[in-house]
Amino acid sequence: MKKQLPSHAQVVIIGGGIHGCSVAYHLAKEGWTDVVLLERKQLTSGTTWHAAGLVGQLQGSHATTAFAKYGIELLEEIEAETGQNPGYRRSGSISVAVNDERMAELKRKADFASLFGIEAHYLSTPEIQERWPLMNPDGVLGGIYMPSDGSANPIDLTTALAKGARQRGAKIMEHIKVEEVLVNEGRASGVRTDQGTITADFVVNCAGMWARDLGQQNGVGVPLHACEHYYLVTEAIKDLPSDLPVLRSYCDGTYWKEDAGKLLFGFAHFQAKPWGMNGISESFEFDSLPFVEDDVMEVLELAMNRVPLLQETGIRTFFNGPESYSYDGRFTLGQAPDVKNYFVLAGVNSTGIQSGSGAGRALAQWIMKGHPPMDLSEMDPSRCEEFQARDVYLQERCPETLVLTYAMHWPNRQRETIRNLRKTPFYHAMKARGAFFTETQGWERPGWFAPEGVEPKIEYSFGRQNWFEYAQAEQKAAREDVAMIDYTMLGKLMVEGPDAETFLQRMCTNNMAMPVGRVAYTLMLNDRGGIESDVTVARHGVDSFMVMSSISHTRRDFQHLRDHIQPDEDVRLRDATSNYGVLGIMGPNSRELLASVCDIDVSNEAFKFNSFQDFYIGHARVKAQRLSYSGELGWEIFVTPDFAEHVFEVLYEAGQQFGLRLIGGEALNALRIEKGFVHWGHDMAYTEAPHQLGLEFACKPNKPVAFIGRDAYLARKEEGKGPFLCSVKLRDPGPLLHHNEPVLRDGQVVGYITAGAYGYTTGSAVGLCLVSLPEGEADKASLCVGEFSVMVEGEKIAADVSLTPFYDPKSQNMLG
């Protein structure tokens, strides 16, 4: 029987799993009751129904941990509100380590938990056995216990959310398939279903493993793919304790939970397979996939060793079901980059039950407020390049995400699938000289260089990895001699036309009415005074500017600029990233090196900081701008790809007399952290304002054309709220900083490390951190008062914290 669809809704949600029902619930709870959720079959029938239902609060980032923390709060309240029991049991969880590196990782996770007030503490092996007597303790070094973790029933939780949404007026309709999202003039305008059309102000794609195909119809990239995922359930076990915590043994690739007198145990596969490569059957509903024993035997043997009772207990359920994984292990949550009012929530990598309530609330708040309610930049759909949303890419990359779920989460872990896609003109020359390549957005970029005779391969660790000394030598060259790096993959966006200057004046906080040949560092703000991006702008001509952005945000910056061009503005925007190879040279000898290969005056007076000139290096005409991301004297040299290798060879050979050394991204990251230079997406995002980061120098509120967010920036600056960015340096030269380590003042958590590295000049680990003012204090000068320390693997390491960088705070080297 054909159902009576409403002709219009304020919001149409596609998909009746945990995410769609959470969005509907939270919209309705805030008074947006003109909401329609459409499910192709029955609620939960795609992936939600067969989830294991684990609800652990501690996730991999600030945003996902906030989602999970809220999810626990909702589980404790929703039955009283709706009458529907979500099946929540607060049993706690224990994660065990069987080697020192895993123990280091678990201790770092426990440190991270303290940022959110989540209880997590170390247990010895005997203490773990006391709580989990079925575990074989052989090889277990200890573990981390989180008493507030537990499990929920996925169907019951989703039903509770749906019931709560209905009680407030939202319509939830099953057995209606959305066949197309309607788009009018670049804006979502409704959906066409197999039973009619609904117009809408907003459309939300929560279609789970169907979300990718649905998005592709409108050019919306949803970078996920379904993969096969197994778990088993034993026969009933006599006298099985009902209060067993969830047990995770990451190195065994297995988790266990008590399930109505039985044990459910699931796997993070050592090998994984994509599923649905040829599409998903129209009849798919509460379906499972064939169980292939060979796919799980390796992990099953480890599981039976860790819990020997499994060797004498029958298996009642052998289950294989599809779950969606993203290409980079991060959610896709937010507004589609090319279709306004089209929102996506999908690809949550087996964390839907623990994160779904919070993620759905965040998306609902985004829709209602018109902007993200917190820093969700890591999940931004625009982070995904077009090629990364294609099936041929996702079918190879997404299974690797599943494999890495329980693998060691090493700092700087590199993906192994889909490599060598984008190579700069210097790739082969640098490979021949020992480059170890890292990958970002498909670009291969040197991370560090192995000495002659040493194979450039990585040996991961939370301590000093095998390349540590190589990167120290690279930093030394940049600080004391001269270093050269490949900057080709940095974004280069051309803004051209008669109205280019006026347009950029409105977009940028710094003054863009600068002479041809000048360069300026600038921010781009949103209406709330938050930083949407930081870029460098060079004026190439009267009507021509180049906007340079970081590798991972080029597409996002392009779209941000594009979306703000007004109909009456004569402005053309194009991506020229691949038009140039770029080499950065830096260090006290960089001026001598450049002078030796060109015929222009490169003195401080003739070639000023923040300027560029055209000249020849060898036989190639180049453009060089005097800038520095290392804090040293330096230039960035632009050359067309046909002459790029020639320019590299000229600089490399000439540089030998000046102590030239090739350097990679690891050294550069340490150099910029020592100097206190920020990176968007690590040290700031659209939630932070310039005054918090010491970036007021890039804001010119009195320039002739007011920039977007000016009034909000001034108001936030006047209000003076933090947290504020500081530099931090450990007093002990041994420990390392990576990111997210808690910062303590007088023993209390007051902030966290946004980025960390080991500084050659400082001789210790250094970092940038966001720190809050002492309670009751309003003066920023009191920010660094007190005894500071940083939590590193459960230990408080004494530290110095400063509002100014520890290296060359007056920038004398860079400006000299």
Short mmCIF file of all heavy atoms in Angstrom, two decimals, residues 18 47-57 59 71-72 75 86-93 148-158 229 231 246 248 255-259 264-266 323 350-356:
data_model
loop_
_atom_site.label_atom_id
_atom_site.label_comp_id
_atom_site.label_asym_id
_atom_site.label_seq_id
_atom_site.Cartn_x
_atom_site.Cartn_y
_atom_site.Cartn_z
N ILE A 18 21.22 4.02 13.54
CA ILE A 18 21.49 4.80 14.74
C ILE A 18 21.71 6.27 14.42
O ILE A 18 21.23 7.16 15.14
CB ILE A 18 22.71 4.22 15.50
CG1 ILE A 18 23.03 5.01 16.76
CG2 ILE A 18 23.96 4.16 14.61
CD1 ILE A 18 22.09 4.80 17.89
N THR A 47 23.09 -1.91 8.97
CA THR A 47 24.26 -2.30 9.76
C THR A 47 23.99 -2.24 11.26
O THR A 47 24.50 -3.05 12.02
CB THR A 47 25.44 -1.35 9.44
OG1 THR A 47 25.81 -1.52 8.07
CG2 THR A 47 26.65 -1.66 10.29
N THR A 48 23.15 -1.30 11.69
CA THR A 48 22.96 -1.07 13.12
C THR A 48 22.55 -2.33 13.87
O THR A 48 23.07 -2.61 14.96
CB THR A 48 21.89 0.03 13.33
OG1 THR A 48 22.36 1.25 12.76
CG2 THR A 48 21.60 0.23 14.80
N TRP A 49 21.67 -3.14 13.29
CA TRP A 49 21.08 -4.26 14.03
C TRP A 49 22.12 -5.28 14.48
O TRP A 49 21.96 -5.93 15.52
CB TRP A 49 20.02 -4.95 13.18
CG TRP A 49 20.57 -5.75 12.03
CD1 TRP A 49 20.91 -5.28 10.81
CD2 TRP A 49 20.84 -7.16 12.03
NE1 TRP A 49 21.38 -6.30 10.01
CE2 TRP A 49 21.34 -7.46 10.73
CE3 TRP A 49 20.71 -8.19 12.95
CZ2 TRP A 49 21.72 -8.76 10.36
CZ3 TRP A 49 21.08 -9.48 12.58
CH2 TRP A 49 21.58 -9.76 11.30
N HIS A 50 23.19 -5.44 13.71
CA HIS A 50 24.15 -6.48 14.07
C HIS A 50 25.41 -5.93 14.73
O HIS A 50 26.41 -6.66 14.91
CB HIS A 50 24.52 -7.34 12.85
CG HIS A 50 25.24 -6.61 11.75
ND1 HIS A 50 26.53 -6.17 11.87
CD2 HIS A 50 24.83 -6.28 10.49
CE1 HIS A 50 26.90 -5.60 10.73
NE2 HIS A 50 25.90 -5.64 9.89
N ALA A 51 25.39 -4.67 15.14
CA ALA A 51 26.54 -4.11 15.85
C ALA A 51 26.73 -4.82 17.18
O ALA A 51 25.78 -5.31 17.79
CB ALA A 51 26.35 -2.62 16.06
N ALA A 52 27.98 -4.87 17.63
CA ALA A 52 28.27 -5.53 18.91
C ALA A 52 27.76 -4.72 20.09
O ALA A 52 27.58 -5.27 21.18
CB ALA A 52 29.77 -5.75 19.05
N GLY A 53 27.54 -3.43 19.90
CA GLY A 53 26.94 -2.62 20.95
C GLY A 53 27.90 -2.12 22.01
O GLY A 53 27.48 -1.70 23.09
N LEU A 54 29.20 -2.13 21.73
CA LEU A 54 30.16 -1.63 22.70
C LEU A 54 30.03 -0.11 22.82
O LEU A 54 29.86 0.58 21.82
CB LEU A 54 31.58 -1.99 22.29
CG LEU A 54 31.87 -3.47 22.04
CD1 LEU A 54 33.34 -3.67 21.73
CD2 LEU A 54 31.44 -4.33 23.22
N VAL A 55 30.11 0.40 24.03
CA VAL A 55 30.07 1.84 24.25
C VAL A 55 31.25 2.24 25.13
O VAL A 55 31.16 2.29 26.34
CB VAL A 55 28.72 2.31 24.85
CG1 VAL A 55 27.63 2.30 23.80
CG2 VAL A 55 28.29 1.43 26.03
N GLY A 56 32.36 2.51 24.46
CA GLY A 56 33.54 3.00 25.14
C GLY A 56 33.64 4.50 24.96
O GLY A 56 33.43 5.02 23.87
N GLN A 57 33.95 5.21 26.04
CA GLN A 57 33.95 6.66 25.96
C GLN A 57 35.18 7.24 25.27
O GLN A 57 35.11 8.28 24.65
CB GLN A 57 33.86 7.26 27.37
CG GLN A 57 32.54 7.03 28.06
CD GLN A 57 32.43 7.84 29.32
OE1 GLN A 57 32.26 9.05 29.29
NE2 GLN A 57 32.55 7.18 30.46
N GLN A 59 37.76 7.79 22.60
CA GLN A 59 37.95 7.59 21.17
C GLN A 59 39.25 8.26 20.72
O GLN A 59 40.04 8.70 21.54
CB GLN A 59 36.73 8.12 20.41
CG GLN A 59 35.42 7.47 20.83
CD GLN A 59 35.37 5.98 20.54
OE1 GLN A 59 35.54 5.55 19.42
NE2 GLN A 59 35.16 5.20 21.57
N GLY A 71 27.12 10.11 24.56
CA GLY A 71 26.33 8.90 24.33
C GLY A 71 26.05 8.13 25.61
O GLY A 71 24.95 7.60 25.80
N ILE A 72 27.04 8.06 26.50
CA ILE A 72 26.85 7.40 27.79
C ILE A 72 25.80 8.16 28.61
O ILE A 72 24.90 7.56 29.22
CB ILE A 72 28.17 7.34 28.57
CG1 ILE A 72 29.18 6.44 27.85
CG2 ILE A 72 27.93 6.85 29.99
CD1 ILE A 72 28.91 4.98 27.93
N LEU A 75 22.38 7.37 27.26
CA LEU A 75 21.96 6.00 27.61
C LEU A 75 21.40 5.93 29.02
O LEU A 75 20.49 5.14 29.30
CB LEU A 75 23.15 5.05 27.48
CG LEU A 75 23.51 4.59 26.06
CD1 LEU A 75 24.87 3.94 26.05
CD2 LEU A 75 22.46 3.63 25.53
N PRO A 86 17.30 1.04 26.56
CA PRO A 86 18.29 0.88 25.51
C PRO A 86 19.24 -0.29 25.73
O PRO A 86 20.19 -0.48 24.96
CB PRO A 86 19.05 2.20 25.54
CG PRO A 86 19.02 2.60 26.99
CD PRO A 86 17.67 2.14 27.49
N GLY A 87 19.02 -1.06 26.79
CA GLY A 87 19.87 -2.21 27.05
C GLY A 87 21.27 -1.85 27.51
O GLY A 87 22.22 -2.60 27.27
N TYR A 88 21.37 -0.72 28.20
CA TYR A 88 22.69 -0.26 28.63
C TYR A 88 23.14 -0.98 29.90
O TYR A 88 22.39 -1.10 30.86
CB TYR A 88 22.66 1.25 28.89
CG TYR A 88 23.93 1.81 29.48
CD1 TYR A 88 25.16 1.58 28.88
CD2 TYR A 88 23.89 2.57 30.65
CE1 TYR A 88 26.33 2.11 29.42
CE2 TYR A 88 25.05 3.10 31.19
CZ TYR A 88 26.27 2.86 30.57
OH TYR A 88 27.41 3.39 31.10
N ARG A 89 24.38 -1.47 29.86
CA ARG A 89 25.01 -2.05 31.03
C ARG A 89 26.37 -1.39 31.23
O ARG A 89 27.22 -1.40 30.34
CB ARG A 89 25.21 -3.56 30.87
CG ARG A 89 23.91 -4.35 30.90
CD ARG A 89 24.20 -5.83 31.08
NE ARG A 89 25.14 -6.32 30.08
CZ ARG A 89 25.90 -7.39 30.24
NH1 ARG A 89 25.89 -8.04 31.38
NH2 ARG A 89 26.69 -7.79 29.27
N ARG A 90 26.56 -0.84 32.39
CA ARG A 90 27.83 -0.17 32.70
C ARG A 90 28.77 -1.19 33.36
O ARG A 90 28.95 -1.22 34.57
CB ARG A 90 27.57 1.01 33.62
CG ARG A 90 28.79 1.85 33.92
CD ARG A 90 28.40 3.13 34.62
NE ARG A 90 29.57 3.84 35.14
CZ ARG A 90 29.66 5.15 35.26
NH1 ARG A 90 28.64 5.91 34.89
NH2 ARG A 90 30.73 5.72 35.76
N SER A 91 29.37 -2.00 32.54
CA SER A 91 30.22 -3.08 33.03
C SER A 91 31.68 -2.68 33.14
O SER A 91 32.49 -3.39 33.74
CB SER A 91 30.11 -4.28 32.10
OG SER A 91 30.50 -3.92 30.78
N GLY A 92 32.06 -1.55 32.53
CA GLY A 92 33.46 -1.16 32.45
C GLY A 92 34.17 -1.87 31.31
O GLY A 92 33.60 -2.76 30.66
N SER A 93 35.39 -1.48 31.06
CA SER A 93 36.19 -2.14 30.02
C SER A 93 37.64 -2.21 30.48
O SER A 93 38.11 -1.37 31.24
CB SER A 93 36.10 -1.39 28.69
OG SER A 93 36.84 -0.19 28.73
N SER A 148 33.53 3.39 33.43
CA SER A 148 32.27 3.93 32.91
C SER A 148 31.90 3.38 31.53
O SER A 148 30.86 3.73 30.98
CB SER A 148 32.33 5.46 32.84
OG SER A 148 33.41 5.88 32.01
N ASP A 149 32.74 2.54 30.94
CA ASP A 149 32.41 1.92 29.66
C ASP A 149 31.38 0.81 29.86
O ASP A 149 31.07 0.41 30.98
CB ASP A 149 33.66 1.34 29.00
CG ASP A 149 34.56 2.41 28.42
OD1 ASP A 149 34.16 3.59 28.43
OD2 ASP A 149 35.66 2.07 27.95
N GLY A 150 30.88 0.29 28.75
CA GLY A 150 29.93 -0.80 28.85
C GLY A 150 29.41 -1.21 27.49
O GLY A 150 30.14 -1.20 26.49
N SER A 151 28.13 -1.55 27.44
CA SER A 151 27.52 -1.98 26.18
C SER A 151 26.05 -1.62 26.19
O SER A 151 25.45 -1.35 27.24
CB SER A 151 27.69 -3.49 25.98
OG SER A 151 27.04 -4.21 27.01
N ALA A 152 25.46 -1.58 25.00
CA ALA A 152 24.04 -1.29 24.84
C ALA A 152 23.49 -2.20 23.76
O ALA A 152 24.24 -2.80 22.98
CB ALA A 152 23.83 0.18 24.46
N ASN A 153 22.18 -2.31 23.71
CA ASN A 153 21.53 -3.08 22.66
C ASN A 153 21.27 -2.15 21.48
O ASN A 153 20.50 -1.19 21.60
CB ASN A 153 20.22 -3.67 23.16
CG ASN A 153 19.56 -4.55 22.12
OD1 ASN A 153 19.24 -4.09 21.02
ND2 ASN A 153 19.36 -5.81 22.45
N PRO A 154 21.90 -2.38 20.34
CA PRO A 154 21.79 -1.42 19.21
C PRO A 154 20.36 -1.18 18.75
O PRO A 154 19.98 -0.04 18.47
CB PRO A 154 22.63 -2.08 18.12
CG PRO A 154 23.57 -2.98 18.84
CD PRO A 154 22.82 -3.48 20.03
N ILE A 155 19.56 -2.25 18.66
CA ILE A 155 18.19 -2.09 18.20
C ILE A 155 17.38 -1.31 19.23
O ILE A 155 16.61 -0.40 18.89
CB ILE A 155 17.55 -3.46 17.91
CG1 ILE A 155 18.24 -4.11 16.70
CG2 ILE A 155 16.05 -3.31 17.66
CD1 ILE A 155 17.71 -5.49 16.36
N ASP A 156 17.55 -1.63 20.51
CA ASP A 156 16.79 -0.95 21.55
C ASP A 156 17.17 0.52 21.65
O ASP A 156 16.30 1.39 21.85
CB ASP A 156 17.01 -1.63 22.89
CG ASP A 156 16.38 -3.02 22.96
OD1 ASP A 156 15.51 -3.30 22.11
OD2 ASP A 156 16.77 -3.81 23.83
N LEU A 157 18.46 0.84 21.52
CA LEU A 157 18.88 2.23 21.57
C LEU A 157 18.31 3.01 20.39
O LEU A 157 17.79 4.13 20.56
CB LEU A 157 20.41 2.33 21.58
CG LEU A 157 21.00 3.73 21.43
CD1 LEU A 157 20.50 4.66 22.52
CD2 LEU A 157 22.52 3.68 21.42
N THR A 158 18.39 2.44 19.21
CA THR A 158 17.85 3.13 18.03
C THR A 158 16.34 3.29 18.15
O THR A 158 15.79 4.34 17.79
CB THR A 158 18.21 2.34 16.76
OG1 THR A 158 19.62 2.13 16.72
CG2 THR A 158 17.78 3.09 15.52
N HIS A 229 32.87 -8.03 8.25
CA HIS A 229 33.30 -7.91 9.65
C HIS A 229 32.65 -9.04 10.45
O HIS A 229 31.43 -9.22 10.43
CB HIS A 229 32.87 -6.55 10.20
CG HIS A 229 33.55 -6.19 11.49
ND1 HIS A 229 34.83 -6.55 11.78
CD2 HIS A 229 33.10 -5.50 12.57
CE1 HIS A 229 35.16 -6.08 12.98
NE2 HIS A 229 34.12 -5.46 13.48
N TYR A 231 31.97 -11.60 13.94
CA TYR A 231 32.02 -11.90 15.37
C TYR A 231 31.37 -13.26 15.60
O TYR A 231 30.66 -13.79 14.75
CB TYR A 231 31.39 -10.82 16.24
CG TYR A 231 29.91 -10.57 16.07
CD1 TYR A 231 28.96 -11.46 16.57
CD2 TYR A 231 29.44 -9.39 15.49
CE1 TYR A 231 27.60 -11.21 16.46
CE2 TYR A 231 28.10 -9.13 15.37
CZ TYR A 231 27.18 -10.04 15.85
OH TYR A 231 25.84 -9.79 15.73
N VAL A 246 33.96 -5.43 29.47
CA VAL A 246 34.39 -5.68 28.09
C VAL A 246 35.91 -5.81 28.12
O VAL A 246 36.60 -5.00 28.73
CB VAL A 246 33.97 -4.53 27.16
CG1 VAL A 246 34.57 -4.72 25.76
CG2 VAL A 246 32.45 -4.44 27.09
N ARG A 248 39.41 -6.06 25.88
CA ARG A 248 40.03 -5.86 24.57
C ARG A 248 41.50 -6.25 24.65
O ARG A 248 42.22 -5.76 25.52
CB ARG A 248 39.92 -4.40 24.12
CG ARG A 248 38.50 -3.91 23.86
CD ARG A 248 38.50 -2.46 23.40
NE ARG A 248 37.18 -1.96 23.10
CZ ARG A 248 36.38 -1.38 23.98
NH1 ARG A 248 36.79 -1.24 25.25
NH2 ARG A 248 35.18 -0.92 23.63
N TYR A 255 38.03 -8.66 20.90
CA TYR A 255 37.35 -8.14 22.07
C TYR A 255 36.30 -9.17 22.52
O TYR A 255 35.83 -9.98 21.71
CB TYR A 255 36.67 -6.79 21.80
CG TYR A 255 35.58 -6.84 20.75
CD1 TYR A 255 34.27 -7.20 21.10
CD2 TYR A 255 35.84 -6.54 19.42
CE1 TYR A 255 33.26 -7.25 20.14
CE2 TYR A 255 34.84 -6.60 18.47
CZ TYR A 255 33.56 -6.96 18.83
OH TYR A 255 32.57 -7.03 17.88
N TRP A 256 35.96 -9.15 23.82
CA TRP A 256 34.99 -10.07 24.37
C TRP A 256 34.00 -9.29 25.24
O TRP A 256 34.40 -8.35 25.94
CB TRP A 256 35.65 -11.10 25.28
CG TRP A 256 36.61 -12.04 24.61
CD1 TRP A 256 36.36 -13.29 24.14
CD2 TRP A 256 38.00 -11.81 24.37
NE1 TRP A 256 37.50 -13.85 23.62
CE2 TRP A 256 38.53 -12.96 23.74
CE3 TRP A 256 38.86 -10.73 24.61
CZ2 TRP A 256 39.85 -13.08 23.36
CZ3 TRP A 256 40.18 -10.83 24.23
CH2 TRP A 256 40.68 -12.00 23.61
N LYS A 257 32.76 -9.72 25.22
CA LYS A 257 31.78 -9.18 26.17
C LYS A 257 30.79 -10.27 26.54
O LYS A 257 30.49 -11.17 25.74
CB LYS A 257 31.05 -7.95 25.60
CG LYS A 257 29.99 -8.27 24.56
CD LYS A 257 29.06 -7.07 24.36
CE LYS A 257 27.88 -7.46 23.47
NZ LYS A 257 26.85 -6.41 23.43
N GLU A 258 30.29 -10.19 27.76
CA GLU A 258 29.25 -11.12 28.20
C GLU A 258 27.95 -10.78 27.50
O GLU A 258 27.60 -9.60 27.36
CB GLU A 258 29.07 -11.01 29.72
CG GLU A 258 28.21 -12.10 30.33
CD GLU A 258 26.72 -11.80 30.25
OE1 GLU A 258 26.38 -10.59 30.14
OE2 GLU A 258 25.91 -12.73 30.32
N ASP A 259 27.23 -11.78 27.03
CA ASP A 259 26.02 -11.56 26.24
C ASP A 259 24.96 -12.59 26.64
O ASP A 259 24.91 -13.69 26.08
CB ASP A 259 26.34 -11.66 24.75
CG ASP A 259 25.16 -11.28 23.86
OD1 ASP A 259 24.65 -10.16 24.00
OD2 ASP A 259 24.74 -12.14 23.05
N LEU A 264 30.32 -13.07 23.56
CA LEU A 264 30.44 -12.58 22.19
C LEU A 264 31.87 -12.09 22.02
O LEU A 264 32.37 -11.35 22.87
CB LEU A 264 29.44 -11.44 21.95
CG LEU A 264 29.43 -10.81 20.54
CD1 LEU A 264 28.03 -10.24 20.24
CD2 LEU A 264 30.47 -9.71 20.38
N PHE A 265 32.52 -12.57 20.97
CA PHE A 265 33.86 -12.06 20.72
C PHE A 265 34.02 -11.74 19.24
O PHE A 265 33.58 -12.47 18.37
CB PHE A 265 34.96 -13.00 21.23
CG PHE A 265 34.96 -14.40 20.68
CD1 PHE A 265 35.93 -14.81 19.77
CD2 PHE A 265 34.01 -15.33 21.10
CE1 PHE A 265 35.95 -16.11 19.30
CE2 PHE A 265 34.03 -16.63 20.63
CZ PHE A 265 35.00 -17.02 19.71
N GLY A 266 34.59 -10.57 19.01
CA GLY A 266 34.71 -10.05 17.65
C GLY A 266 36.16 -9.78 17.31
O GLY A 266 37.04 -9.82 18.16
N GLU A 323 30.06 -3.70 7.38
CA GLU A 323 30.14 -2.42 8.09
C GLU A 323 30.95 -1.44 7.25
O GLU A 323 31.85 -1.84 6.52
CB GLU A 323 30.81 -2.60 9.46
CG GLU A 323 29.96 -3.41 10.42
CD GLU A 323 30.36 -3.19 11.86
OE1 GLU A 323 30.84 -2.08 12.18
OE2 GLU A 323 30.21 -4.12 12.66
N SER A 350 32.86 1.28 12.57
CA SER A 350 32.49 0.38 13.67
C SER A 350 32.35 1.07 15.02
O SER A 350 32.47 0.42 16.06
CB SER A 350 33.48 -0.78 13.81
OG SER A 350 33.32 -1.70 12.77
N THR A 351 32.10 2.37 15.02
CA THR A 351 31.89 3.06 16.31
C THR A 351 30.50 3.70 16.36
O THR A 351 30.28 4.63 17.13
CB THR A 351 32.97 4.13 16.55
OG1 THR A 351 32.85 5.16 15.55
CG2 THR A 351 34.35 3.54 16.51
N GLY A 352 29.58 3.21 15.56
CA GLY A 352 28.27 3.85 15.46
C GLY A 352 27.48 3.86 16.74
O GLY A 352 26.84 4.87 17.08
N ILE A 353 27.49 2.76 17.48
CA ILE A 353 26.68 2.71 18.69
C ILE A 353 27.26 3.61 19.77
O ILE A 353 26.53 4.31 20.47
CB ILE A 353 26.55 1.26 19.19
CG1 ILE A 353 25.96 0.38 18.08
CG2 ILE A 353 25.68 1.20 20.44
CD1 ILE A 353 24.67 0.88 17.48
N GLN A 354 28.56 3.64 19.91
CA GLN A 354 29.16 4.48 20.94
C GLN A 354 29.22 5.95 20.54
O GLN A 354 29.21 6.84 21.39
CB GLN A 354 30.54 3.98 21.34
CG GLN A 354 31.50 3.73 20.22
CD GLN A 354 32.66 2.82 20.65
OE1 GLN A 354 32.73 2.39 21.80
NE2 GLN A 354 33.55 2.52 19.74
N SER A 355 29.25 6.23 19.23
CA SER A 355 29.38 7.63 18.78
C SER A 355 28.11 8.19 18.16
O SER A 355 27.99 9.39 18.00
CB SER A 355 30.51 7.73 17.74
OG SER A 355 31.73 7.31 18.27
N GLY A 356 27.17 7.32 17.81
CA GLY A 356 26.02 7.75 17.02
C GLY A 356 25.16 8.80 17.68
O GLY A 356 24.71 9.76 17.03
#
